[in-house]
């Protein structure tokens, strides 16, 4: 099982997104501590009411991860997550391919359908079309990354005898899909390399318009069913599963480490392959202390 550090999110609009520490310095510390990946989320134009009531600020994840790529050597670079319907899928494919090429094959494209109606409206995208737009992105991303001529005729996008070069380093760039619905798991089994269930509790599930994630035993069954479904479709490649770990005691990683180790072991037994953690920190020193302490306690 591998670990992802999610850059701490600044809630509201009084603070600054980088209050938790300079991104370059944090990324270097994350790599040095033994984490396997660093992730960033996306809200390009969030509703003011949502932001004021606990929503969080974001950078553009693909731009910021490109910056991180230049400061690190081995960290995987994850969008956790990018909202596929917000972008033309060919522009999304090009941005991801660019990140993968420049980083030497370290990109992971975490995708979701999105849930903020005000954000869809501001971007000029029909909220009711988000699932159709998402499916077209899943169809077109591998065509773009193939580096071979292709044509595509879809509901929203059409391409005639086009080609995209350079190819990304990875074939394909891993796509991880976020959400808890049966539709999400079907998409993963057919199109993706990973599943990112949401584990933030009932309030987050309600906000994100996805079913609440069940207990670990139920999750283990869902994971087994997902992987069996992928195999039934002739797939032999592994399916990663990502779990965002929340525990009050993790604020100080050295407190009660045996309990956290037991929890990590339970997640591993359930079929989880990546665990996301983050610091509840709003300033540089606290963030760096968390990263170093977590690495020394669990990763070395």
């Amino acid at each position: 099982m591998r670990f992802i550090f999610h850059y701490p999110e600044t809630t509201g609009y009084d603070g600054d997104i980088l209050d938790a520490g300079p991104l370059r310095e944090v990324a270097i510390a994350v790599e040095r501590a033994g984490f396997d990946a660093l992730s960033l989320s996306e809200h390009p134009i969030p509703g003011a009411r949502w932001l004021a009531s606990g929503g969080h600020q974001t950078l553009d994840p693909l731009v910021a991860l490109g910056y991180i790529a230049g400061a690190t050597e081995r960290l995987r670079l994850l969008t956790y997550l990018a909202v596929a319907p917000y972008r033309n899928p060919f522009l999304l494919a090009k941005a991801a391919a660019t990140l993968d090429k420049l980083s030497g094959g370290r990109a992971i494209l975490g995708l979701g359908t999105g849930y903020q109606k005000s954000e869809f409206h501001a971007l000029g995208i029909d909220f009711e079309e988000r699932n159709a737009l998402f499916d077209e992105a899943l169809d077109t991303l591998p065509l773009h990354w193939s580096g071979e001529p292709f044509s595509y005729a879809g509901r929203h996008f059409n391409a005639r005898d086009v080609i995209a070069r350079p190819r990304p380093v990875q074939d394909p760039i891993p796509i991880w899909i976020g959400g808890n619905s049966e539709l999400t798991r079907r998409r993963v089994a057919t199109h993706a390399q990973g599943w990112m269930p949401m584990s933030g509790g009932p309030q987050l599930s309600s906000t994100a318009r996805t079913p609440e994630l069940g207990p670990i035993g139920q999750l283990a069954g869902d994971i087994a069913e997902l992987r069996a479904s992928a195999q039934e479709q002739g797939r032999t490649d592994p399916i990663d599963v990502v779990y965002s770990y929340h525990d009050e005691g993790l604020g100080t990683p050295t407190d009660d480490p045996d309990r956290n180790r037991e929890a990590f072991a339970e997640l591993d037994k359930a079929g989880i392959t990546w665990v996301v953690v983050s610091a509840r920190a709003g300033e540089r020193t606290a963030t760096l202390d968390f990263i170093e302490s977590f690495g020394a306690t669990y990763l070395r």
Side-chain angles (χ1 to χ4, degrees):
M1 194 165 64
R2 291 179 281 183
F3 287 84
I4 302 164
F5 181 77
H6 188 75
Y7 185 85
E9 294 171 341
T10 299
T11 58
Y13 40 74
D14 291 333
D16 183 83
I17 182 67
L18 296 180
D19 283 346
L23 193 57
R24 184 178 190 276
E25 184 178 12
V26 169
I28 291 171
V30 167
E31 185 167 68
R32 185 186 301 122
F35 285 89
D36 296 286
L38 189 148
S39 62
L40 295 168
S41 60
E42 170 173 68
H43 282 290
I45 185 70
R49 183 182 301 176
W50 175 81
L51 197 59
S53 60
H56 59 90
Q57 302 179 27
T58 70
L59 300 166
D60 181 293
L62 289 160
V63 173
L65 290 171
Y67 174 71
I68 291 169
T72 57
E73 295 181 356
R74 63 166 187 82
L75 274 183
R76 301 302 299 270
L77 310 164
L78 169 65
T79 56
Y80 187 57
L81 45 68
V83 182
Y86 287 172
R87 295 178 174 86
N88 177 292
F90 303 117
L91 293 178
L92 175 62
K94 174 59 75 173
T98 299
L99 175 62
D100 197 62
K101 185 72 173 178
L102 296 181
S103 68
R106 292 188 278 145
I108 302 173
L109 189 59
L111 296 177
T113 55
Y115 59 85
Q116 275 209 33
K117 286 187 176 182
S118 61
E119 208 160 38
F120 276 83
H121 180 75
L123 295 170
I125 300 161
D126 186 349
F127 181 79
E128 301 304 326
E129 288 293 293
R130 66 192 187 283
N131 279 301
L133 290 164
F134 190 87
D135 287 334
E136 287 196 68
L138 293 179
D139 288 339
T140 55
L141 288 169
L143 295 173
H144 188 288
W145 295 335
S146 72
E148 300 296 334
F150 71 91
S151 296
Y152 177 80
R155 180 169 165 181
H156 300 89
F157 305 101
N158 290 278
R160 296 183 181 180
D161 193 26
V162 295
I163 186 170
R165 293 286 179 89
R167 295 183 180 96
V169 174
Q170 299 179 93
D171 181 22
I173 297 171
I175 295 173
W176 293 355
I177 301 178
N180 299 344
S181 68
E182 291 184 14
L183 174 58
T184 293
R185 295 196 295 276
R186 288 198 300 270
R187 283 169 168 157
V188 172
T190 304
H191 293 285
Q193 289 70 46
W195 177 35
M196 302 187 297
M198 298 182 68
S199 57
Q203 183 175 352
L204 177 60
S205 295
S206 176
T207 301
R209 303 171 190 270
T210 193
E212 185 179 355
L213 195 66
I216 293 300
Q218 180 180 329
L219 178 59
D222 291 339
I223 293 170
E225 182 180 306
L226 166 64
R227 289 176 173 151
S229 177
Q231 290 178 351
E232 288 171 2
Q233 297 181 57
R235 295 186 57 182
T236 58
D237 52 321
I239 302 291
D240 281 304
V241 181
V242 185
Y243 186 88
S244 183
Y245 182 72
H246 306 277
D247 186 274
E248 291 299 325
L250 197 63
T252 305
T254 54
D255 288 350
D256 201 6
D258 289 341
R259 184 164 60 87
N260 288 318
R261 289 192 183 99
E262 288 175 5
F264 295 150
E266 186 178 10
L267 293 173
D268 184 47
K269 184 178 179 180
I272 303 294
T273 55
W274 293 78
V275 170
V276 180
V277 298
S278 190
R280 296 183 180 91
E283 55 90 22
R284 170 185 172 275
T285 300
T287 301
L288 296 177
D289 286 349
F290 174 90
I291 292 167
E292 171 59 28
S293 180
F294 189 93
T297 305
Y298 302 106
L299 305 180
R300 296 173 187 163

